Coordinates of all heavy atoms in Angstrom, one line a residue:
M998 N 12.5 -12.6 21.0 CA 12.4 -11.1 20.4 C 13.3 -10.2 21.1 O 13.9 -9.3 20.4 CB 11.0 -10.7 20.8 CG 10.6 -9.4 20.1 SD 8.9 -8.9 20.4 CE 9.1 -7.6 21.5
V999 N 13.6 -10.4 22.3 CA 14.5 -9.4 23.1 C 15.9 -9.6 22.6 O 16.6 -8.6 22.4 CB 14.4 -9.8 24.7 CG1 15.5 -9.0 25.4 CG2 13.1 -9.5 25.2
V1000 N 16.3 -10.9 22.3 CA 17.6 -11.1 21.7 C 17.8 -10.4 20.4 O 18.8 -9.8 20.1 CB 17.9 -12.6 21.6 CG1 19.2 -12.9 20.9 CG2 17.9 -13.2 23.0
G1001 N 16.7 -10.5 19.5 CA 16.7 -9.9 18.3 C 16.8 -8.3 18.3 O 17.6 -7.7 17.5
V1002 N 16.1 -7.8 19.3 CA 16.2 -6.3 19.5 C 17.6 -5.9 19.9 O 18.1 -4.9 19.5 CB 15.1 -5.8 20.4 CG1 15.3 -4.4 20.9 CG2 13.7 -6.1 19.9
I1003 N 18.2 -6.7 20.8 CA 19.5 -6.3 21.3 C 20.6 -6.5 20.2 O 21.4 -5.5 20.1 CB 19.9 -7.2 22.5 CG1 19.0 -6.8 23.7 CG2 21.4 -7.1 22.9 CD1 19.1 -7.8 24.9
I1004 N 20.4 -7.5 19.4 CA 21.3 -7.6 18.2 C 21.1 -6.4 17.2 O 22.1 -5.9 16.7 CB 21.2 -9.0 17.6 CG1 21.7 -10.1 18.5 CG2 21.8 -9.0 16.2 CD1 21.4 -11.4 18.0
A1005 N 19.9 -6.1 16.9 CA 19.6 -5.0 16.0 C 20.1 -3.6 16.6 O 20.7 -2.8 15.9 CB 18.1 -4.9 15.8
A1006 N 20.0 -3.4 17.9 CA 20.6 -2.3 18.5 C 22.1 -2.2 18.4 O 22.7 -1.1 18.1 CB 20.1 -2.2 20.0
A1007 N 22.7 -3.3 18.6 CA 24.2 -3.3 18.5 C 24.7 -3.0 17.1 O 25.7 -2.3 16.8 CB 24.7 -4.7 19.0
V1008 N 24.0 -3.6 16.1 CA 24.3 -3.4 14.7 C 24.0 -2.0 14.3 O 24.8 -1.3 13.6 CB 23.4 -4.3 13.8 CG1 23.5 -3.9 12.3 CG2 23.9 -5.8 14.0
L1009 N 22.9 -1.3 14.8 CA 22.7 0.0 14.5 C 23.7 0.9 15.1 O 24.1 1.9 14.5 CB 21.3 0.4 15.0 CG 20.2 0.2 14.1 CD1 18.8 0.6 14.7 CD2 20.3 1.1 12.9
L1010 N 24.2 0.6 16.3 CA 25.2 1.4 17.0 C 26.5 1.4 16.2 O 27.1 2.5 15.9 CB 25.6 0.8 18.4 CG 26.6 1.6 19.2 CD1 26.1 2.9 19.7 CD2 26.9 0.8 20.4
V1011 N 26.9 0.2 15.7 CA 28.1 0.2 14.9 C 27.9 0.9 13.5 O 28.8 1.6 13.1 CB 28.5 -1.3 14.7 CG1 29.7 -1.5 13.7 CG2 28.9 -1.9 16.0
L1012 N 26.7 0.6 12.9 CA 26.5 1.2 11.6 C 26.4 2.8 11.7 O 27.0 3.5 10.9 CB 25.1 0.7 11.1 CG 24.8 1.1 9.7 CD1 25.8 0.6 8.7 CD2 23.4 0.7 9.3
A1013 N 25.8 3.3 12.8 CA 25.7 4.7 13.1 C 27.1 5.3 13.3 O 27.4 6.4 12.9 CB 24.8 5.0 14.2
F1014 N 28.0 4.6 13.9 CA 29.4 5.1 14.2 C 30.1 5.1 12.9 O 30.9 6.1 12.6 CB 30.0 4.2 15.2 CG 31.4 4.8 15.6 CD1 31.4 5.8 16.5 CD2 32.5 4.2 15.1 CE1 32.6 6.4 16.9 CE2 33.8 4.7 15.5 CZ 33.9 5.8 16.3
L1015 N 30.1 4.1 12.1 CA 30.9 3.9 10.9 C 30.3 4.8 9.7 O 31.0 5.4 9.0 CB 31.0 2.5 10.4 CG 31.7 1.6 11.4 CD1 31.8 0.2 10.9 CD2 33.2 2.1 11.6
F1016 N 29.0 4.7 9.6 CA 28.3 5.5 8.4 C 27.1 6.2 9.0 O 26.0 5.8 8.9 CB 27.9 4.4 7.4 CG 29.0 3.6 6.8 CD1 29.1 2.3 7.2 CD2 29.9 4.1 6.1 CE1 30.0 1.4 6.8 CE2 31.0 3.3 5.6 CZ 31.1 1.9 6.0
P1017 N 27.3 7.4 9.5 CA 26.2 8.1 10.2 C 25.0 8.3 9.3 O 23.9 8.3 9.7 CB 26.8 9.4 10.7 CG 28.3 9.2 10.6 CD 28.6 8.1 9.7
M1018 N 25.3 8.8 8.1 CA 24.2 9.1 7.2 C 23.4 7.9 6.7 O 22.3 7.9 6.4 CB 24.7 10.1 6.0 CG 25.3 11.3 6.4 SD 24.0 12.3 7.3 CE 22.8 12.7 6.0
L1019 N 24.2 6.8 6.5 CA 23.5 5.5 5.9 C 22.8 4.8 7.0 O 22.1 3.8 6.7 CB 24.6 4.7 5.3 CG 25.3 5.3 4.1 CD1 26.4 4.3 3.7 CD2 24.3 5.5 3.0
S1020 N 22.9 5.2 8.3 CA 22.3 4.4 9.3 C 20.8 4.9 9.5 O 20.1 4.2 10.3 CB 23.0 4.6 10.7 OG 22.9 6.0 11.1
R1021 N 20.4 6.0 8.9 CA 19.0 6.4 9.1 C 18.0 5.4 8.5 O 16.9 5.2 9.1 CB 18.9 7.8 8.4 CG 19.7 8.8 9.0 CD 19.0 9.8 9.8 NE 20.0 10.8 10.3 CZ 19.8 11.4 11.5 NH1 18.9 11.0 12.3 NH2 20.7 12.3 11.8
W1022 N 18.3 4.9 7.3 CA 17.3 4.0 6.7 C 17.1 2.7 7.5 O 16.0 2.3 7.7 CB 17.6 3.7 5.2 CG 17.6 4.9 4.4 CD1 18.5 5.8 3.9 CD2 16.3 5.6 4.0 NE1 18.0 6.9 3.3 CE2 16.6 6.8 3.3 CE3 15.0 5.3 4.3 CZ2 15.7 7.7 2.8 CZ3 14.0 6.2 3.7 CH2 14.4 7.3 3.0
P1023 N 18.2 2.0 7.9 CA 17.9 0.8 8.7 C 17.2 1.1 10.0 O 16.4 0.3 10.5 CB 19.4 0.2 9.0 CG 20.2 0.8 7.9 CD 19.6 2.1 7.5
E1024 N 17.5 2.3 10.6 CA 16.8 2.7 11.9 C 15.4 2.8 11.6 O 14.5 2.3 12.3 CB 17.5 3.9 12.4 CG 16.7 4.4 13.6 CD 17.2 5.8 14.1 OE1 18.1 6.4 13.4 OE2 16.7 6.3 15.1
R1025 N 15.0 3.5 10.5 CA 13.6 3.7 10.2 C 12.9 2.4 9.9 O 11.7 2.2 10.3 CB 13.4 4.6 9.0 CG 13.7 6.1 9.3 CD 13.5 6.9 8.1 NE 13.9 8.2 8.4 CZ 14.1 9.2 7.4 NH1 13.9 8.9 6.2 NH2 14.6 10.4 7.8
G1026 N 13.6 1.5 9.1 CA 13.0 0.2 8.8 C 12.7 -0.6 10.1 O 11.7 -1.3 10.2
S1027 N 13.7 -0.6 11.0 CA 13.5 -1.5 12.2 C 12.4 -0.9 13.1 O 11.7 -1.6 13.7 CB 14.8 -1.6 12.9 OG 15.3 -0.3 13.3
K1028 N 12.3 0.4 13.1 CA 11.3 1.1 13.9 C 9.9 0.9 13.2 O 8.9 0.7 14.0 CB 11.5 2.6 14.0 CG 12.5 2.9 15.0 CD 12.6 4.4 15.2 CE 13.5 4.8 16.3 NZ 13.5 6.2 16.6
D1029 N 9.8 0.8 11.9 CA 8.6 0.5 11.2 C 8.1 -0.9 11.5 O 7.0 -1.2 11.8 CB 8.7 0.6 9.7 CG 8.8 2.1 9.3 OD1 8.5 3.0 10.1 OD2 9.2 2.4 8.1
V1030 N 9.0 -1.9 11.6 CA 8.7 -3.3 11.9 C 8.2 -3.4 13.3 O 7.1 -4.0 13.5 CB 9.9 -4.2 11.7 CG1 9.6 -5.6 12.2 CG2 10.3 -4.3 10.2
L1031 N 8.8 -2.7 14.2 CA 8.4 -2.6 15.6 C 7.0 -2.0 15.7 O 6.2 -2.3 16.6 CB 9.4 -2.1 16.5 CG 10.6 -3.0 16.7 CD1 11.7 -2.2 17.5 CD2 10.2 -4.3 17.5
G1032 N 6.8 -1.0 14.9 CA 5.6 -0.2 14.9 C 4.4 -1.1 14.5 O 3.3 -0.9 15.0
V1033 N 4.6 -2.0 13.6 CA 3.5 -2.8 13.1 C 3.1 -3.8 14.3 O 2.0 -4.0 14.6 CB 4.0 -3.7 11.9 CG1 3.0 -4.8 11.7 CG2 4.1 -2.8 10.7
G1034 N 4.2 -4.3 15.0 CA 3.9 -5.2 16.1 C 3.1 -4.4 17.2 O 2.3 -4.9 17.9
R1035 N 3.6 -3.2 17.5 CA 3.0 -2.3 18.5 C 1.4 -2.0 18.2 O 0.6 -2.1 19.0 CB 3.7 -1.0 18.7 CG 3.2 -0.2 19.7 CD 4.0 1.1 20.0 NE 4.3 1.8 18.7 CZ 3.7 2.8 18.2 NH1 2.6 3.3 18.9 NH2 4.0 3.3 17.1
R1036 N 1.3 -1.7 16.9 CA -0.1 -1.4 16.5 C -1.0 -2.6 16.7 O -2.2 -2.6 17.0 CB -0.2 -0.8 15.1 CG 0.2 0.6 15.0 CD 0.0 1.2 13.7 NE 0.6 0.6 12.6 CZ 1.9 0.8 12.2 NH1 2.6 1.7 12.9 NH2 2.4 0.2 11.2
G1037 N -0.5 -3.8 16.3 CA -1.2 -5.0 16.3 C -1.5 -5.4 17.8 O -2.6 -5.9 18.1
A1038 N -0.5 -5.3 18.6 CA -0.7 -5.6 20.0 C -1.6 -4.7 20.7 O -2.3 -5.0 21.7 CB 0.7 -5.6 20.7
S1039 N -1.7 -3.3 20.3 CA -2.6 -2.4 21.0 C -4.0 -2.6 20.7 O -4.9 -2.0 21.3 CB -2.2 -1.0 20.6 OG -2.4 -0.8 19.3
K1040 N -4.4 -3.5 19.7 CA -5.7 -3.8 19.4 C -6.5 -4.6 20.5 O -7.7 -4.7 20.4 CB -5.8 -4.5 18.0 CG -5.2 -3.8 17.0 CD -6.2 -2.8 16.3 CE -5.6 -2.2 15.0 NZ -5.9 -0.9 14.8
A1041 N -5.8 -5.2 21.4 CA -6.3 -6.0 22.4 C -7.1 -5.1 23.3 O -6.8 -3.9 23.5 CB -5.2 -6.7 23.2
P1042 N -8.2 -5.6 23.9 CA -9.2 -4.8 24.7 C -8.5 -4.3 26.0 O -7.8 -5.1 26.6 CB -10.3 -5.7 24.9 CG -9.9 -7.1 24.7 CD -8.6 -7.0 23.8
G1043 N -8.9 -3.2 26.4 CA -8.6 -2.6 27.7 C -7.1 -2.5 27.9 O -6.3 -2.2 27.1
P1044 N -6.8 -2.5 29.2 CA -5.4 -2.4 29.6 C -4.5 -3.5 29.0 O -3.2 -3.3 28.9 CB -5.4 -2.6 31.1 CG -6.8 -2.8 31.6 CD -7.7 -2.9 30.4
L1045 N -5.0 -4.6 28.6 CA -4.2 -5.7 28.0 C -3.6 -5.1 26.7 O -2.4 -5.5 26.4 CB -5.1 -6.9 27.7 CG -4.3 -8.1 27.1 CD1 -3.3 -8.6 28.1 CD2 -5.4 -9.1 26.7
G1046 N -4.2 -4.3 26.0 CA -3.7 -3.7 24.8 C -2.4 -2.8 25.1 O -1.5 -2.8 24.4
R1047 N -2.6 -2.0 26.1 CA -1.4 -1.1 26.5 C -0.3 -2.0 27.0 O 0.9 -1.7 26.7 CB -1.9 -0.2 27.6 CG -2.8 0.9 27.1 CD -3.0 2.0 28.2 NE -3.5 1.5 29.4 CZ -4.8 1.4 29.7 NH1 -5.7 1.7 28.8 NH2 -5.2 0.9 30.9
W1048 N -0.6 -3.0 27.8 CA 0.5 -3.9 28.3 C 1.2 -4.7 27.2 O 2.4 -4.9 27.2 CB 0.0 -4.9 29.3 CG -0.6 -4.2 30.6 CD1 -0.2 -2.9 31.1 CD2 -1.6 -4.7 31.4 NE1 -0.9 -2.7 32.2 CE2 -1.7 -3.7 32.5 CE3 -2.2 -5.8 31.5 CZ2 -2.6 -3.9 33.5 CZ3 -3.2 -6.0 32.5 CH2 -3.3 -5.0 33.5
A1049 N 0.4 -5.1 26.2 CA 1.0 -5.8 25.1 C 1.8 -5.0 24.2 O 2.8 -5.5 23.6 CB -0.1 -6.6 24.3
A1050 N 1.5 -3.8 24.1 CA 2.2 -2.8 23.1 C 3.5 -2.2 23.8 O 4.4 -1.8 23.0 CB 1.3 -1.7 22.7
K1051 N 3.6 -2.3 25.1 CA 4.7 -1.6 25.8 C 6.1 -2.2 25.3 O 7.0 -1.4 25.1 CB 4.5 -1.7 27.3 CG 5.5 -1.0 28.1 CD 5.2 -0.8 29.5 CE 6.3 -0.2 30.1 NZ 6.0 1.0 30.8
P1052 N 6.3 -3.5 25.2 CA 7.6 -4.0 24.9 C 8.0 -3.5 23.5 O 9.2 -3.3 23.2 CB 7.5 -5.5 24.8 CG 6.3 -5.8 25.7 CD 5.3 -4.6 25.6
F1053 N 7.1 -3.3 22.6 CA 7.4 -2.8 21.2 C 7.8 -1.4 21.3 O 8.7 -1.0 20.6 CB 6.2 -3.0 20.3 CG 5.9 -4.5 20.0 CD1 4.8 -5.1 20.6 CD2 6.7 -5.2 19.1 CE1 4.5 -6.4 20.3 CE2 6.4 -6.5 18.8 CZ 5.3 -7.1 19.4
S1054 N 7.1 -0.6 22.0 CA 7.5 0.9 22.1 C 8.8 1.1 22.8 O 9.6 1.9 22.5 CB 6.3 1.6 22.7 OG 6.0 1.2 23.9
S1055 N 9.0 0.3 23.9 CA 10.3 0.4 24.5 C 11.5 -0.1 23.6 O 12.6 0.5 23.7 CB 10.3 -0.3 25.9 OG 10.0 -1.6 25.8
S1056 N 11.2 -1.0 22.8 CA 12.2 -1.5 21.8 C 12.5 -0.5 20.8 O 13.6 -0.3 20.4 CB 11.8 -2.7 21.2 OG 11.7 -3.8 22.1
Q1057 N 11.4 0.2 20.3 CA 11.7 1.4 19.4 C 12.6 2.4 20.0 O 13.5 3.0 19.3 CB 10.3 2.0 19.0 CG 9.6 1.3 18.0 CD 8.3 1.9 17.6 OE1 7.6 2.5 18.5 NE2 8.0 1.9 16.3
R1058 N 12.3 2.8 21.3 CA 13.1 3.8 22.0 C 14.6 3.3 22.1 O 15.5 4.1 21.9 CB 12.6 4.0 23.3 CG 11.5 5.2 23.3 CD 11.1 5.5 24.7 NE 10.4 4.3 25.1 CZ 9.8 4.0 26.2 NH1 9.8 4.9 27.2 NH2 9.2 2.9 26.4
L1059 N 14.7 2.0 22.4 CA 16.1 1.5 22.6 C 16.9 1.5 21.2 O 18.0 2.0 21.2 CB 16.1 0.0 22.9 CG 17.4 -0.8 23.0 CD1 18.2 -0.3 24.2 CD2 17.2 -2.3 23.0
L1060 N 16.2 1.3 20.1 CA 16.9 1.4 18.7 C 17.3 2.8 18.4 O 18.3 3.0 17.9 CB 16.0 0.7 17.7 CG 15.9 -0.8 17.8 CD1 14.9 -1.2 16.6 CD2 17.2 -1.4 17.5
G1061 N 16.3 3.7 18.7 CA 16.7 5.2 18.5 C 17.8 5.6 19.3 O 18.6 6.4 18.9
K1062 N 17.8 5.2 20.6 CA 18.8 5.6 21.5 C 20.2 5.1 21.1 O 21.2 5.8 21.2 CB 18.5 5.2 22.8 CG 19.3 5.6 24.0 CD 18.8 5.2 25.4 CE 19.6 5.6 26.5 NZ 19.1 5.2 27.8
S1063 N 20.2 3.8 20.6 CA 21.5 3.2 20.1 C 22.0 4.0 18.9 O 23.2 4.2 18.9 CB 21.2 1.7 19.8 OG 22.4 1.1 19.2
A1064 N 21.1 4.2 18.0 CA 21.6 4.9 16.8 C 22.0 6.3 17.1 O 23.1 6.8 16.5 CB 20.5 5.0 15.7
R1065 N 21.4 7.0 18.0 CA 21.8 8.4 18.4 C 23.2 8.3 19.0 O 24.0 9.2 18.8 CB 20.8 9.0 19.3 CG 19.6 9.7 18.6 CD 18.9 10.6 19.7 NE 18.5 9.9 20.9 CZ 17.5 9.2 21.1 NH1 16.6 9.0 20.1 NH2 17.1 8.6 22.3
A1066 N 23.4 7.3 19.9 CA 24.7 7.2 20.5 C 25.8 7.0 19.5 O 26.9 7.5 19.7 CB 24.6 6.1 21.6
G1067 N 25.6 6.2 18.6 CA 26.5 6.0 17.6 C 26.9 7.2 16.8 O 28.0 7.5 16.5
R1068 N 25.9 7.9 16.4 CA 26.1 9.2 15.7 C 26.8 10.2 16.5 O 27.7 11.0 16.0 CB 24.8 9.7 15.2 CG 24.2 9.0 14.0 CD 23.0 9.7 13.4 NE 22.2 8.6 12.9 CZ 21.1 8.1 13.4 NH1 20.7 8.7 14.5 NH2 20.4 7.2 12.8
R1069 N 26.4 10.3 17.8 CA 27.0 11.2 18.7 C 28.5 10.9 18.9 O 29.4 11.8 19.0 CB 26.3 11.3 20.0 CG 26.6 12.4 20.9 CD 25.9 12.5 22.2 NE 24.4 12.2 22.0 CZ 23.9 11.2 22.7 NH1 24.5 10.5 23.6 NH2 22.6 10.9 22.4
G1070 N 28.8 9.6 19.1 CA 30.2 9.1 19.2 C 31.0 9.4 18.0 O 32.2 9.8 18.1
R1071 N 30.5 9.2 16.8 CA 31.1 9.6 15.6 C 31.5 11.1 15.5 O 32.5 11.5 15.1 CB 30.4 9.1 14.4 CG 30.9 9.5 13.1 CD 32.2 8.8 12.8 NE 32.7 9.2 11.6 CZ 33.4 8.4 10.7 NH1 33.6 7.1 11.1 NH2 33.8 8.8 9.7
G1072 N 30.5 11.9 16.0 CA 30.8 13.3 15.9 C 31.9 13.8 16.9 O 32.5 14.9 16.7
K1073 N 32.1 13.0 17.9 CA 33.2 13.4 18.8 C 34.6 12.9 18.5 O 35.6 13.3 19.1 CB 32.9 12.9 20.2 CG 31.7 13.6 20.8 CD 31.5 13.0 22.2 CE 30.2 13.8 22.9 NZ 30.0 13.2 24.2
T1074 N 34.7 12.1 17.4 CA 36.0 11.5 17.1 C 36.8 12.6 16.3 O 36.3 13.4 15.6 CB 35.9 10.3 16.2 OG1 35.1 10.6 15.0 CG2 35.2 9.1 16.9
P1075 N 38.1 12.5 16.4 CA 39.0 13.6 15.8 C 39.2 13.5 14.3 O 39.5 14.4 13.7 CB 40.4 13.5 16.5 CG 40.4 12.1 17.0 CD 38.9 11.8 17.3
F1076 N 38.8 12.3 13.8 CA 39.0 12.2 12.3 C 37.7 12.2 11.5 O 36.6 12.1 12.0 CB 39.7 10.9 12.0 CG 39.2 9.7 12.7 CD1 38.2 8.8 12.1 CD2 39.6 9.2 14.0 CE1 37.7 7.7 12.7 CE2 39.1 8.1 14.5 CZ 38.2 7.4 13.9

């Protein structure tokens, strides 16, 4: 799962740099998929639910951060 998230973050970074407006939909789709996993993992009882959901929420933040960095980098280019 970690490898998949890293690959998705790299693809979003490149996509956000090349096509900033078109990168919003893949970002939302990948966050939605991770949101389903987070919601499912949080159904576990007690602190186990919070612990199980944490990797999904941190992966969501990673994807958003990667896409933002690509858009910001594109905004700083001279062309």
